């Protein structure tokens, strides 16, 4: 089933905030996602495989690290970057996540925490997607509590750092060229970032299998066994977890956009289905209760998109704080989960068949809901900001 052109799902015409070039880029990305990704993605999703053949096409869109300026990066606005994330997720949340990990988490780490020389060294090839990045923060026993609880260690020995520990859930890590590994410096107990090249001795990624969500994304558990990294490959501007948090502030905003895209994709499929599916001799779109579901979905998508736009505008003004990103991530992912559930409901039994697409959005939403800070953790970040009282422990 082909989804109708989605102009009406941008209900408050937010794309009009973009200039002509930005709107053109949205159309180019939409076209690529609908023509090259949509027809094949269920094949890969079912098999837990990644469509490596699509990487050159994605690279050709020129959207990796979109909001980074200089270093052969596109240098677009955060608003445009967010709308692109929505556009990717609207067709497939796995591809949106792949790009979010590479262009957001990995390139963002180099951009925000690297020295001038490091940015020159790594960003151009990453922007062209000749080198793919991953971001390794989470550990098997430490997820929400990474700020204070990271157990992976980094020990300096002259010009060499030796990393030891384990990581879990690391997207793209089975095939990435550059993996940003966050580890605790045993000398000062602070979290630092290291760029580990694939194939480095002692660095072993193992693909995680049997996920029920984002099955196209290749997540890995990583073992770091005396991995030796040069001092020149330590991100020079990352000296405490506060620097890691700068990256997360940026990418959590991107995840709010992704959640909005995931919800919008499900809504659009549901709307198209409702118009063509007939029961009692008429399209189900003509029933009041079905219209109620559709309008609730559109309300969620529209409210989330408006919130995301304002967040991105604050980012572009350099005024976005951790709590702004956290509120958007928590709100939009809750609305997404509600929306994909309603879309599934609207398709009746057909909603659980992969071929009708909505089921994939329902499953993928579960991962987006939990990664980059769960609802609880993002709520606690906002709670601390508005009360002045931390309630994490
Ligand atoms: C598909 C996928 C992709 C991912 N990709 C990456 C990646 O590329 N790189 C990376 O580093 N990580 C990645 N992650 C990890 C992700 O960021 C973590 O899953 C997330 O931060 C939550 O950690 P956890 O799963 O260990 O849950 P836990 O921290 O164990 O939390 C379990 C539950 O307890 C709740 N909880 C914990 N602490 C509190 C508290 N103080 N108060 C109230 N409730 C609390 C949580 O909200 C949650 O509901 C990915 C995860 C998934 C699922």
């Amino acid at each position: 089933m082909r989804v109708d052109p989605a102009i009406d799902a941008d209900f408050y015409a937010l794309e009009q905030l973009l200039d002509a070039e930005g709107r053109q880029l949205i159309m180019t990305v939409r076209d690529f996602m609908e023509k090259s990704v949509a027809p094949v993605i269920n094949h890969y999703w079912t098999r837990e495989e990644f469509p490596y053949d699509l990487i050159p096409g994605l690279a050709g869109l020129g959207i990796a690290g979109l909001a980074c300026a200089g270093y052969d990066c596109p240098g677009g606005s955060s608003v445009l970057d967010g709308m692109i994330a929505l556009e990717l997720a609207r067709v497939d949340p796995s591809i949106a996540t792949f790009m979010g990990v590479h262009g957001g988490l990995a390139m963002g780490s180099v951009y925000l925490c690297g020295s001038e020389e490091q940015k020159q060294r790594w960003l151009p090839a990453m922007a062209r997607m000749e080198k793919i990045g991953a971001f390794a923060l989470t550990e098997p026993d430490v997820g929400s509590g990474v700020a204070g609880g990271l157990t992976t260690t980094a020990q300096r020995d002259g010009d060499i750092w030796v990393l030891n520990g384990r990581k879990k859930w690391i997207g793209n890590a089975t095939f990435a060229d550059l993996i940003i590994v966050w580890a605790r410096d045993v000398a000062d107990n602070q979290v630092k970032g290291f760029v580990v090249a694939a194939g480095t001795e002692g660095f072993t990624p193992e693909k995680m299998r049997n996920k029920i969500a984002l099955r196209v994304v290749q997540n890995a558990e990583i073992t770091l066994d005396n991995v030796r990294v040069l001092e020149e490959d330590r991100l020079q501007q990352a000296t405490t977890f506060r620097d890691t948090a700068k990256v997360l502030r940026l990418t959590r905003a991107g995840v709010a956009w992704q959640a909005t895209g995931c919800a919008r994709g499900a809504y659009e499929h549901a709307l198209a289905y409702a118009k063509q599916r007939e029961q009692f001799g008429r399209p189900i779109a003509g029933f009041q209760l079905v219209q109620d579901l559709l309008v609730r979905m559109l309300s969620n998508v529209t409210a989330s998109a408006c919130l995301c736009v304002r967040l991105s505008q604050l980012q572009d003004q350099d005024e976005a704080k951790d709590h702004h990103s956290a509120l958007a991530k928590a709100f939009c992912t809750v609305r997404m989960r509600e929306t994909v559930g309603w879309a599934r409901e609207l398709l009746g039994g057909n909603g659980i068949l992969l071929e009708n697409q909505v089921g994939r959005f329902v499953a993928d939403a579960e991962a987006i809901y939990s990664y980059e800070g769960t609802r609880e953790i993002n709520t606690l970040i906002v709670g601390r900001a508005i009360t002045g009282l931390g309630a994490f422990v």
Side-chain angles (χ1 to χ4, degrees):
M1 181 180 67
R2 173 131 167 71
V3 179
D4 293 339
I7 299 150
D8 57 335
D10 179 17
F11 204 63
Y12 283 1
L14 296 173
E15 283 168 25
Q16 285 181 12
L17 296 170
L18 301 174
D19 59 16
E21 207 182 323
R23 284 200 294 273
Q24 181 53 49
L25 184 59
I26 297 278
M27 296 313 291
T28 306
V29 171
R30 183 174 299 168
D31 194 56
F32 175 81
M33 291 301 291
E34 289 181 349
K35 291 199 177 121
S36 302
V37 176
V40 301
I41 203 66
N42 282 339
H43 170 92
Y44 291 96
W45 198 92
T46 310
R47 289 164 183 74
E48 302 182 296
E49 289 170 3
F50 187 82
Y52 299 103
D53 291 354
L54 291 177
I55 291 181
L58 285 163
L61 298 173
I63 55 172
L66 191 123
C68 302
Y71 317 100
D72 295 351
C73 297
S77 69
S78 300
V79 174
L80 178 61
D81 193 28
M83 287 191 187
I84 298 283
L86 179 152
E87 211 53 57
L88 299 173
R90 168 182 167 262
V91 172
D92 183 53
S94 289
I95 294 297
T97 300
F98 161 70
M99 292 300 291
V101 171
H102 169 69
L105 286 165
M107 288 182 73
S109 296
V110 176
Y111 189 68
L112 295 175
C113 303
S115 67
E116 189 58 30
E117 181 277 322
Q118 290 176 323
K119 291 186 224 185
Q120 309 249 15
R121 183 152 40 114
W122 288 312
L123 287 175
M126 293 176 90
R128 290 191 295 272
M129 296 183 71
E130 290 159 9
K131 299 262 183 229
I132 299 297
F135 177 95
L137 177 64
T138 309
E139 302 180 353
D141 296 326
V142 190
S144 303
V146 280
L150 218 58
T151 64
T152 298
T153 56
Q155 180 143 28
R156 190 166 183 169
D157 179 8
D159 266 356
I160 300 280
W161 290 83
V162 182
L163 309 186
N164 278 291
R166 286 165 66 215
K167 297 287 177 184
K168 186 173 178 184
W169 288 116
I170 311 310
N172 305 350
T174 56
F175 64 96
D177 305 283
L178 301 169
I179 301 91
I180 317 288
V181 175
W182 298 94
R184 188 172 296 286
D185 180 353
V186 293
D188 63 5
N189 212 28
Q190 298 298 329
V191 171
K192 298 187 174 149
F194 302 85
V195 181
V196 178
T200 303
E201 199 177 337
F203 176 88
T204 315
E206 191 172 334
K207 174 170 165 163
M208 294 173 66
R209 296 184 185 278
N210 301 323
K211 290 183 294 161
I212 64 151
L214 297 179
R215 287 168 61 82
V216 175
V217 178
Q218 304 295 299
N219 293 95
E221 280 207 41
I222 297 174
T223 307
L224 297 138
D225 181 12
N226 287 320
V227 173
R228 292 163 72 81
V229 182
L230 294 172
E231 161 63 10
E232 66 183 42
D233 293 343
R234 179 182 65 79
L235 291 174
Q236 299 294 313
Q237 304 300 324
T239 49
T240 74
F241 190 80
R242 282 176 200 279
D243 298 308
T244 323
K246 282 188 211 158
V247 184
L248 296 175
R249 183 190 311 158
L250 177 97
T251 54
R252 267 181 193 152
V255 176
W257 276 107
Q258 274 176 16
T260 307
C262 176
R264 179 164 151 183
Y267 159 74
E268 287 172 316
H269 282 292
L271 177 61
Y273 185 87
K275 286 180 184 169
Q276 58 86 30
R277 174 74 173 175
E278 294 193 0
Q279 288 297 299
F280 299 95
R282 56 193 294 198
I284 62 168
F287 296 126
Q288 289 182 350
L289 296 179
V290 170
Q291 289 190 4
D292 176 59
L293 276 184
L294 287 167
V295 174
R296 282 171 191 249
M297 284 186 246
L298 180 61
S299 305
N300 275 352
V301 171
T302 306
S304 297
C306 288
L307 186 150
C308 285
V309 163
R310 184 61 194 141
L311 171 62
S312 293
Q313 288 173 335
L314 289 176
Q315 286 180 298
D316 284 330
Q317 293 162 215
D318 209 14
E319 287 174 21
K321 304 278 186 292
D322 288 345
H323 46 267
H324 293 127
S325 294
L327 183 80
K329 203 276 174 178
F331 177 85
C332 296
T333 53
V334 170
R335 297 281 83 86
M336 163 193 67
R337 217 178 179 202
E338 200 173 48
T339 305
V340 296
W342 285 332
R344 214 289 309 147
E345 177 180 343
L346 193 149
L347 267 71
N350 282 334
I352 67 161
L353 286 173
L354 202 54
E355 68 196 41
N356 293 313
Q357 315 302 334
V358 169
R360 178 165 47 84
F361 287 89
V362 173
D364 289 349
E366 290 305 305
I368 297 174
Y369 187 67
S370 287
Y371 70 40
E372 295 244 15
T374 62
R375 185 189 63 78
E376 289 82 357
I377 293 304
N378 281 303
T379 297
L380 291 171
I381 291 170
V382 180
R384 182 178 55 192
I386 59 176
T387 65
L389 300 168
F392 289 83
V393 286

